[in-house]
Amino acid sequence: MQLARHFLLLIILVISLPLFSQSKRTISGGIRDAKTGEELIGATISVKEIPNTGASSNAYGFYSLTLPQGTYTISAHYVGYSEYTKQINLDSSRVININLAPVAVEMKQVEISARRADENVKQAQMSVTKLDIVELGKIPVIFGEKDILKTIQLLPGVKSAGEGNSGFYVRGGNSDQNLILLDEAMVYNASHLLGFFSTFNNDALKDATLYKGNMPAEYGGKLSSVLDLKMKDGNDKTYSVGGGIGLIASRLYVEGPIVPDKGSFIVTARRTYADAFLKFSKDTTLNRNTLYFYDINAKASYRLGQRDRIFASGYFGRDKFGLANTFGIDYGNATGTLRWNHIINDRLFSNLSFIYNDFSWKININTGGLDVNVNSIIQDYSLKEDIDYFLNATNKIKFGAQTTFKSVVPGEINSNSPLLITPFSITHSYGWESAIYAQHEVTLWNKVNINYGLRVSAFSLLGPGKEFTFNANGTDTTNLRTGQFGKTYINPEPRFSLSYNFKKDMSFKAAYSRNTQNIHLLSNTTSSSPTDRWIMTTNNIRPEIADQVSAGYFYNFLNNMFEFSLEGYYKWMQNQIDYRNGASLIANETVESQLLYGVGRAYGGEVFLKKRVGKVTGWVSYTLSRTERRFDSINNRSWYPARYDRTHDLAIVVMWDITPRINISATWVYSTGNAVTYPAGKYQLNGSWVQYYPPRNSDRFPPYHRLDIGATFVLKKHKMWEHDLNISVYNVYARENAYQISFSADDAFTGQSTSQQLSLFRIVPSVTYNFKFTYLKKEKAN
């Protein structure tokens, strides 16, 4: 804590220094889409008279640029938008709000992207990818639904959690070690239909950024990655209605102004309707079943003046499965964010947020007159403040704090027949997690860019609750009173990244980061399950810690048409969690006694080549990696592959605009099979055959590969009305990839076993019809 106080004191002193003389003046304001009013993230401002001098807009579209007093020609750039140029006499600080007009994509071959063309080379941050929301609609995925989580699996360093699954692993981290944020709210379970759909409706998204471990100091709480998603603010100029109709699900959205040029809203909704088809079945065992999910995104914003804007956004989604009235499972997420943007002055920008998130599941069993419910809930309440300080054209400081109250209901069992099944509830657990951070971005000699910072996190158990201590004599229990603090952990998390530009289009980067995690997922499945159990750090479960070093070479060529990167990384992890064989995770008060603790390591190399401009675009990504774990009670304390360890991962993505109205695309993926433990033999014990297993995860599934193709046909595109048809085929050559392999003993005398492979999907065709209607007011004649 002493280190944190000294670091923040240094930042305050830097801010307080009289760095700017009276001859310096500041240009500041917002950069927006002229057509919709949406803030543009990462737009750049350059100065013609001073080369290599400029600024970029932050996550809320605000920019600030301080220059000596004088006359300048400033330009605003955002890829896919017309350039803005203005000559100004900077004799005093000025507010200049800039509206950029989108270019006509049908007329020019341009890249629509949420970043400037050479950002990947020049920025200090490495292992970061800005995802193109427009591009997502072209990439074929299973069931034809645009899915950001399946798209990021095509990037180097990111591995799929399984066939058709939206879960993912990043650089050796487990699936629960990814921080997924939707308008700053953490999403605990980011999947629908047991992982085959993500919770994110593409119609609601404006911006998406993936950090693969080397995240800035403003992010924390998870070890491996950050996927930062921001919802659209809505169109404050005109009203629009759009959506899509598919074979599995349909979508609808409405957006428009609350008050033109001041306030806007957007509401999106999506639902599957497999259950609707079941109703037509004459089989009573089918037509009473339930199988669907739905989700709703909503956001509203309003400008209170030149310096203030408020936002309210939320997400609500549920999955429902049911076998008539005998069995049902219901799970889902709810998030809410209230945000206040305030421009303190022309160089200071504040964002204050109150954040709520909830994940819950419920199982109902109703048979033989017995009605049993099992449920679990996890909730967070957070308050967060972030401040951007634009010192000058080469220095930017960001600092802030966040505090979160966590509440976990690990499991409750209720029954209408207490004599048969006794109602049971695991003691609720509460925790308090807080963090402060500061980071500094600086450019030196127009060649060196540095981003360094420190995050200090603290976590405490909070009463009422129980602390368990396990020893040779049994279990000791300490009861915490309401509001009483239990075990507390404080962890400094330094972050550092650097880029050196050899040439205008070429750079070398290096980075180091430390991350800690205090909420952990206990799961015995290879992919996410709604009934997985979340547990907080305790006096027995220590915070997970990961340190990562990485280095890379970045090169853009042919006037930024092609982007190339080569990265290597090494990550070591402390306090990793596994469970003993036969461990019971549900309705277990002392589940901590069933856990094992060890260490992990992951290392590898990643290659990425992308063509960004032209009729044919796409990328090739390749990852060579190892992910290993070591526990005292497993494999005689030897290193062994994690279950999601895959040596090779290759993805090829191609998109071809044949005409302005016809686009075809294809993806091909190949990966080494997951690590698995097969029985190596059998022996007899007391007249029964017993399987013998070699060291953990010493075998492999067969290699995985698949080809998907898709085509989009624009049927009509007009200012007021547009619609298109998307056709895709998943797994074109019907590869039967292994989802599960099981062994059974067929011969009671010889014990001879046979293996059986389960494959989920062969060829899966999909068709989706998309539409959009925009209301345009008729201008009055003079």
Side-chain angles (χ1 to χ4, degrees):
M1 206 62 188
Q2 188 77 9
L3 179 62
R5 285 197 295 266
H6 288 166
F7 187 80
L8 285 180
L9 179 61
L10 176 61
I11 294 298
I12 293 171
L13 289 174
V14 170
I15 293 174
S16 303
L17 289 175
L19 293 176
F20 305 97
S21 68
Q22 294 301 313
S23 61
K24 296 263 185 168
R25 299 292 182 262
T26 300
I27 314 166
S28 63
I31 303 179
R32 305 185 185 103
D33 185 313
K35 186 177 180 181
T36 66
E38 290 272 359
E39 271 74 14
L40 298 179
I41 302 171
T44 58
I45 299 289
S46 60
V47 182
K48 179 180 179 181
E49 289 76 11
I50 311 177
N52 300 316
T53 298
S56 60
S57 57
N58 67 6
Y60 312 101
F62 177 78
Y63 76 94
S64 177
L65 181 60
T66 300
L67 300 167
Q69 186 172 328
T71 301
Y72 300 99
T73 304
I74 63 168
S75 298
H77 309 265
Y78 195 75
V79 180
Y81 285 74
S82 299
E83 181 180 352
Y84 170 95
T85 303
K86 183 180 180 68
Q87 188 174 69
I88 60 171
N89 181 17
L90 198 59
D91 54 357
S92 62
S93 294
R94 299 182 60 181
V95 175
I96 300 178
N97 293 314
I98 299 172
N99 294 316
L100 297 182
V103 298
V105 179
E106 292 187 2
M107 300 300 296
K108 298 181 180 180
Q109 293 178 19
V110 298
E111 178 200 15
I112 305 298
S113 174
R115 67 175 190 178
R116 64 179 187 261
D118 59 353
E119 182 181 17
N120 61 305
V121 172
K122 291 190 174 181
Q123 67 175 354
Q125 203 69 43
M126 67 178 299
S127 308
V128 58
T129 301
K130 280 278 191 180
L131 296 159
D132 187 343
I133 301 300
V134 175
E135 196 173 63
L136 291 180
K138 300 179 180 180
I139 299 175
V141 295
I142 190 170
F143 305 130
E145 281 290 301
K146 304 173 186 178
D147 196 323
I148 193 166
L149 296 189
K150 292 188 178 69
T151 301
I152 67 173
Q153 296 170 11
L154 303 172
L155 299 174
V158 184
K159 301 176 184 291
S160 165
E163 176 77 87
N165 201 288
S166 59
F168 61 98
Y169 308 105
V170 178
R171 289 187 173 179
N174 210 334
S175 58
D176 71 309
Q177 295 173 353
N178 301 312
L179 177 60
I180 301 177
L181 299 173
L182 180 63
D183 267 9
E184 303 181 30
M186 183 168 71
V187 178
Y188 278 100
N189 187 303
S191 64
H192 286 303
L193 288 180
L194 303 178
F196 295 116
F197 290 84
S198 82
T199 60
F200 306 114
N201 184 343
N202 197 66
D203 292 336
L205 299 180
K206 174 175 71 172
D207 185 78
T209 305
L210 176 68
Y211 299 91
K212 295 182 291 187
N214 294 114
M215 62 279 290
E218 63 190 276
Y219 298 104
K222 294 296 186 76
L223 294 192
S224 292
S225 72
V226 176
L227 179 59
D228 191 356
L229 304 173
K230 291 182 170 56
M231 291 170 54
K232 293 177 181 176
D233 300 328
N235 193 322
D236 68 3
K237 309 290 184 184
T238 186
Y239 295 96
S240 296
V241 177
I245 302 172
L247 299 180
I248 301 294
S250 289
R251 319 177 317 274
L252 182 70
Y253 71 85
V254 181
E255 63 175 332
I258 299 173
V259 176
D261 298 321
K262 278 193 171 184
S264 61
F265 75 93
I266 182 170
V267 178
T268 70
R270 179 175 57 159
R271 192 191 192 277
T272 58
Y273 30 71
D275 57 319
F277 295 109
L278 295 177
K279 301 296 182 184
F280 294 102
S281 173
K282 296 181 179 180
D283 188 342
T284 57
T285 62
L286 290 177
N287 60 26
R288 292 189 299 159
N289 292 344
T290 304
L291 175 62
Y292 70 91
F293 76 77
Y294 66 90
D295 51 42
I296 299 171
N297 294 77
K299 188 172 184 178
S301 65
Y302 192 81
R303 292 186 179 91
L304 301 176
Q306 290 294 323
R307 292 181 175 272
D308 298 277
R309 189 177 185 187
I310 56 174
F311 302 81
S313 61
Y315 166 88
F316 184 80
R318 305 297 294 180
D319 282 67
K320 293 182 181 290
F321 302 88
L323 300 177
N325 295 322
T326 61
F327 175 82
I329 181 169
D330 177 342
Y331 70 94
N333 299 277
T335 72
T337 305
L338 295 175
R339 195 168 69 232
W340 172 34
N341 285 175
H342 175 60
I343 300 173
I344 301 172
N345 59 40
D346 53 16
R347 291 200 295 268
L348 275 171
F349 182 93
S350 166
N351 177 66
L352 178 66
S353 302
F354 174 75
I355 306 161
Y356 166 79
N357 61 294
D358 171 290
F359 172 68
S360 62
W361 57 262
K362 181 179 181 180
I363 298 175
N364 176 256
I365 302 172
N366 189 345
T367 181
L370 185 65
D371 190 359
V372 180
N373 293 315
V374 185
N375 61 77
S376 177
I377 305 171
I378 180 169
Q379 295 176 323
D380 292 350
Y381 302 85
S382 300
L383 184 66
K384 185 165 75 80
E385 169 69 18
D386 300 292
I387 295 180
D388 290 305
Y389 185 19
F390 300 84
L391 279 79
N392 54 37
T394 59
N395 285 269
K396 177 184 173 183
I397 287 176
K398 188 168 186 175
F399 58 96
Q402 180 172 359
T403 185
T404 302
F405 173 74
K406 293 181 176 291
S407 170
V408 178
V409 179
E412 292 181 338
I413 299 177
N414 298 297
S415 170
N416 67 340
S417 302
L419 294 178
L420 297 177
I421 295 181
T422 303
F424 175 78
S425 177
I426 300 177
T427 303
H428 300 188
S429 56
Y430 304 93
W432 201 287
E433 185 171 25
S434 299
I436 55 175
Y437 77 90
Q439 64 190 36
H440 181 203
E441 297 179 39
V442 58
T443 300
L444 305 174
W445 312 297
N446 292 323
K447 286 184 173 292
V448 179
N449 295 283
I450 300 173
N451 186 327
Y452 65 95
L454 176 66
R455 183 182 184 91
V456 179
S457 61
F459 180 86
S460 299
L461 277 178
L462 192 64
K466 297 178 181 179
E467 284 187 333
F468 298 104
T469 303
F470 306 103
N471 51 52
N473 299 322
T475 303
D476 295 331
T477 304
T478 301
N479 292 306
L480 299 176
R481 301 184 308 275
T482 300
Q484 180 183 358
F485 283 88
K487 181 68 175 179
T488 297
Y489 299 90
I490 299 175
N491 285 291
E493 303 174 28
R495 317 280 173 86
F496 175 84
S497 57
L498 172 148
S499 69
Y500 175 73
N501 292 84
F502 297 99
K503 299 178 181 179
K504 179 181 178 182
D505 52 8
M506 188 183 304
S507 68
F508 169 81
K509 298 185 183 183
Y512 164 78
S513 66
R514 165 170 282 205
N515 293 276
T516 63
Q517 181 167 327
N518 289 296
I519 186 78
H520 320 280
L521 182 66
L522 305 182
S523 175
N524 53 15
T525 61
T526 56
S527 59
S528 176
S529 168
T531 57
D532 291 340
R533 180 170 171 181
W534 291 91
I535 189 168
M536 289 187 285
T537 293
T538 67
N539 56 315
N540 299 299
I541 304 174
R542 299 178 62 83
E544 297 179 75
I545 300 175
D547 295 87
Q548 178 175 286
V549 293
S550 54
Y553 169 76
F554 298 80
Y555 177 42
N556 286 7
F557 52 99
L558 294 182
N559 196 27
N560 293 311
M561 178 182 291
F562 288 90
E563 168 187 337
F564 173 80
S565 64
L566 173 64
E567 295 187 51
Y569 68 91
Y570 187 94
K571 178 161 66 176
W572 59 102
M573 295 164 278
Q574 307 173 44
N575 306 324
Q576 299 299 283
I577 301 173
D578 208 325
Y579 52 88
R580 302 180 190 276
N581 292 332
S584 175
L585 304 183
I586 300 178
N588 186 347
E589 180 85 40
T590 57
V591 69
E592 297 170 53
S593 65
Q594 306 295 304
L595 303 180
L596 303 173
Y597 308 99
V599 295
R601 65 186 181 191
Y603 49 92
E606 301 166 2
V607 180
F608 185 64
L609 175 63
K610 182 175 184 178
K611 185 176 185 291
R612 302 165 54 180
V613 182
K615 284 191 172 183
V616 179
T617 59
W619 68 82
V620 178
S621 71
Y622 170 70
T623 305
L624 173 67
S625 63
R626 292 285 291 172
T627 302
E628 298 173 315
R629 297 289 186 265
R630 186 174 69 186
F631 290 80
D632 289 344
S633 303
I634 300 176
N635 279 10
N636 296 318
R637 207 174 178 273
S638 298
W639 289 99
Y640 65 91
R643 62 186 179 187
Y644 44 87
D645 172 71
R646 295 200 291 265
T647 308
H648 305 283
D649 275 275
L650 174 66
I652 301 173
V653 179
V654 178
M655 292 165 284
W656 180 19
D657 293 321
I658 300 177
T659 72
R661 294 179 179 269
I662 300 176
N663 169 273
I664 62 173
S665 58
T667 63
W668 185 77
V669 295
Y670 172 89
S671 65
T672 307
N674 283 358
V676 67
T677 308
Y678 292 145
K682 289 191 173 185
Y683 59 91
Q684 279 193 317
L685 180 65
N686 297 326
S688 299
W689 290 101
V690 179
Q691 291 181 330
Y692 164 74
Y693 288 91
R696 181 177 290 199
N697 294 344
S698 55
D699 295 300
R700 294 277 174 183
F701 268 29
Y704 180 98
H705 53 90
R706 187 190 78 242
L707 173 67
D708 307 330
I709 60 173
T712 300
F713 303 92
V714 178
L715 305 177
K716 185 178 183 64
K717 192 162 187 177
H718 187 266
K719 288 182 179 181
M720 294 183 63
W721 170 254
E722 59 186 80
H723 57 144
D724 64 66
L725 189 69
N726 180 272
I727 301 173
S728 64
V729 180
Y730 179 89
N731 196 13
V732 172
Y733 52 78
R735 163 78 174 178
E736 294 188 5
N737 289 297
Y739 182 78
Q740 179 181 329
I741 296 178
S742 58
F743 292 81
S744 61
D746 290 339
D747 193 315
F749 297 99
T750 65
Q752 183 176 0
S753 296
T754 59
S755 63
Q756 294 179 325
Q757 175 178 303
L758 172 64
S759 300
L760 289 185
F761 303 109
R762 298 189 70 184
I763 297 177
V764 182
S766 300
V767 179
T768 304
Y769 170 74
N770 301 295
F771 62 91
K772 180 180 179 181
F773 173 77
T774 302
Y775 172 71
L776 298 177
K777 289 184 178 181
K778 293 183 179 180
E779 296 184 2
K780 295 182 180 180
N782 293 328

